Amino acid sequence: LAKTTQPISMDSYEGQEVNITCSHNNIATNDYITWYQQFPSQGPRFIIQGYKTKVTNEVASLFIPADRKSSTLSLPRVSLSDTAVYYCLVAPRDSNYQLIWGAGTKLIIKP
Amino acid sequence: DTEVTQTPKHLVMGMTNKKSLKCEQHMGHRAMYWYKQKAKKPPELMFVYSYEKLSINESVPSRFSPECPNSSLLNLHLHALQPEDSALYLCASSQAFFQGASGELFFGEGSRLTVL
């Protein structure tokens, strides 16, 4: 099962673009990369999922290089409300029970 | 309706009490999960139900007893808990385990459990 490594914490400022990189060196061929956001005392919320290249939705973009050994979550123009913990997970798409939750990245947005 | 509803939001119980946590979803999801989350830690998988049958038990102590009465409901029965069991208990649901299913987990807001 693929494990992930993320920075423990990051700081940024309102209006900036924030990039959080995740390392997953032993990702398997059928693994997808999924990011979740979690606010204090709430359940995690799905942000984005991808397999390769680039995926974009209304909230974020996910960049995955050709070797798939890492991925970068990009949050455009962050606001104070984006302060949260962000988890990068790797697992087969239909096997959520295999998700391994790493420590996550605590993102703090400052005014 | 894309919500997973958990009750109660907060629960305080003694070590000899019996209580239950409840979870409900109406998205037609056939996989439901219980997670435990301690402060400043990631969620830890406890149980997975698929099509109302227990599929995964991550070696959880028997003082935690899950139940899936139907496809929309998931309970977690608690008995003789220890203070170290105090945590946020999260329920989640997803499409069933089949090829091509979305990987998205839908989480409830959790039940904050304190064991005295």
Side-chain angles (χ1 to χ4, degrees):
Chain A
L1 301 176
K3 292 190 177 181
T4 60
T5 303
Q6 307 171 233
I8 295 297
S9 65
M10 291 179 66
D11 292 350
S12 188
Y13 293 90
E14 282 192 292
Q16 299 294 304
E17 178 184 79
V18 171
N19 295 312
I20 307 174
T21 298
C22 179
S23 172
H24 28 80
N25 289 319
N26 59 340
I27 189 169
T29 303
N30 60 339
D31 284 344
Y32 281 70
I33 300 151
T34 310
W35 286 80
Y36 284 82
Q37 174 193 56
Q38 187 176 26
F39 299 114
S41 296
Q42 292 189 24
R45 183 176 72 100
F46 175 92
I47 301 175
I48 198 166
Q49 183 183 73
Y51 183 80
K52 62 180 178 181
T53 62
K54 177 183 175 182
V55 179
T56 298
N57 62 23
E58 63 277 7
V59 176
S61 294
L62 178 59
F63 298 91
I64 306 167
D67 67 5
R68 303 197 333 120
K69 293 184 183 299
S70 67
S71 58
T72 299
L73 175 72
S74 181
L75 304 172
R77 298 185 59 79
V78 293
S79 65
L80 296 176
S81 62
D82 291 314
T83 293
V85 177
Y86 292 82
Y87 293 99
C88 164
L89 301 103
V90 170
R93 194 175 185 218
D94 54 1
S95 300
N96 285 309
Y97 57 90
Q98 295 185 40
L99 288 175
I100 298 177
W101 295 73
T105 297
K106 171 68 173 174
L107 176 64
I108 298 174
I109 304 302
K110 302 175 182 178
Chain B
D1 183 0
T2 58
E3 278 194 349
V4 174
T5 305
Q6 290 188 243
T7 56
K9 291 195 185 309
H10 300 275
L11 178 63
V12 179
M13 59 187 292
M15 289 190 283
T16 58
N17 292 158
K18 285 185 180 180
K19 297 286 185 183
S20 297
L21 305 180
K22 297 184 184 301
C23 175
E24 188 169 5
Q25 59 88 13
H26 295 287
M27 294 177 279
H29 290 170
R30 302 311 296 269
M32 296 187 75
Y33 311 72
W34 280 114
Y35 281 87
K36 172 183 176 179
Q37 187 174 30
K38 303 281 275 185
K40 300 187 187 302
K41 297 291 186 181
E44 299 174 42
L45 183 64
M46 300 175 71
F47 302 104
V48 181
Y49 274 82
S50 178
Y51 288 91
E52 299 149 54
K53 291 195 176 352
L54 183 63
S55 299
I56 304 287
N57 177 343
E58 291 291 319
S59 303
V60 179
S62 59
R63 57 185 184 269
F64 295 92
S65 175
E67 178 196 19
C68 190
N70 60 55
S71 60
S72 300
L73 295 174
L74 187 65
N75 298 322
L76 186 63
H77 303 298
L78 314 170
H79 174 54
L81 295 193
Q82 304 296 310
E84 58 265 30
D85 295 321
S86 298
L88 181 68
Y89 287 84
L90 294 162
C91 174
S93 70
S94 72
Q95 295 180 14
F97 302 147
F98 58 86
Q99 190 64 32
S102 165
E104 183 173 354
L105 281 167
F106 291 80
F107 282 87
E109 292 200 350
S111 293
R112 175 73 61 189
L113 173 66
T114 302
V115 182
L116 301 177

